[in-house]
Amino acid sequence: MRVLAIDYGQRRTGLAVTDPGQVIANGLTTVHTTELERFVLDYVTEEPVERIIVGHPRQMNGEDSENMRRITPFVNRLRKLLPQIPVELYDERFTSVLAHRAMIDGGLHRKARQNKALVDELSATIILQSWMESQRLACEHSAVEP
């Protein structure tokens, strides 16, 4: 089953998804935030999704950022509409910076790096990859403990 990640934005939202074996995170798309709920509901009817990860925007001091006031109602609606799929918040600090760095390292020209939809999708991919890595480390850590 797949894991779906959401980088929720005020206007646009980036989405990423794992392969069915949950080995690799891939960018899925970017949608207008007004269409996000419908997109997610349609997606989970067509693809088996085990969990939904939503980027948790925090400031440098660890407090929630301004966007959390929009994300919380969205997460609550998802949990109500899809009670069989856990919806989890995951720290998204630095994902936009990492997305821009990945684009530069990947050789994308300035014009392509200004594509905000691409940055949003890449940010969702980074959130998902980071979540997957944290899960792997947690499994390794629990396997080491007696």
Side-chain angles (χ1 to χ4, degrees):
M1 293 182 78
R2 297 178 188 273
V3 176
L4 179 68
I6 299 172
D7 181 29
Y8 190 98
Q10 189 171 350
R11 291 185 201 103
R12 282 175 323 280
T13 296
L15 294 111
V17 68
T18 64
D19 61 296
Q22 297 182 19
V23 176
I24 298 171
N26 296 295
L28 181 61
T29 192
T30 303
V31 298
H32 289 283
T33 300
T34 56
E35 301 166 8
L36 177 60
E37 188 176 301
R38 173 60 28 215
F39 180 90
V40 171
L41 294 175
D42 289 346
Y43 187 82
V44 301
T45 60
E46 295 178 23
E47 292 288 339
V49 173
E50 176 182 305
R51 178 175 305 273
I52 298 172
I53 306 300
V54 179
H56 186 169
R58 295 183 181 211
Q59 299 174 15
M60 293 301 293
N61 64 4
E63 292 182 15
D64 289 346
S65 77
E66 175 69 19
N67 202 29
M68 243 348 253
R69 67 182 175 82
R70 288 182 278 279
I71 293 173
T72 299
F74 169 72
V75 167
N76 290 339
R77 278 192 314 276
L78 273 188
R79 287 178 174 153
K80 218 174 251 184
L81 294 168
L82 301 168
Q84 73 283 12
I85 302 175
V87 178
E88 181 180 328
L89 292 170
Y90 187 78
D91 192 344
E92 69 169 33
R93 277 179 284 190
F94 310 114
T95 54
S96 292
V97 173
L98 291 171
H100 280 288
R101 172 56 45 201
M103 293 169 88
I104 290 168
D105 292 348
L108 287 178
H109 296 289
R110 179 182 298 267
K111 185 88 168 157
R113 293 193 311 259
Q114 292 173 344
N115 179 345
K116 294 181 190 237
L118 180 58
V119 172
D120 293 338
E121 184 178 325
L122 190 52
S123 292
T125 306
I126 291 168
I127 291 167
L128 185 53
Q129 191 67 48
S130 178
W131 178 85
M132 291 168 56
E133 182 67 13
S134 73
Q135 298 302 297
R136 185 185 65 75
L137 291 173
C139 285
E140 286 176 4
H141 180 71
S142 66
V144 171
E145 289 184 8

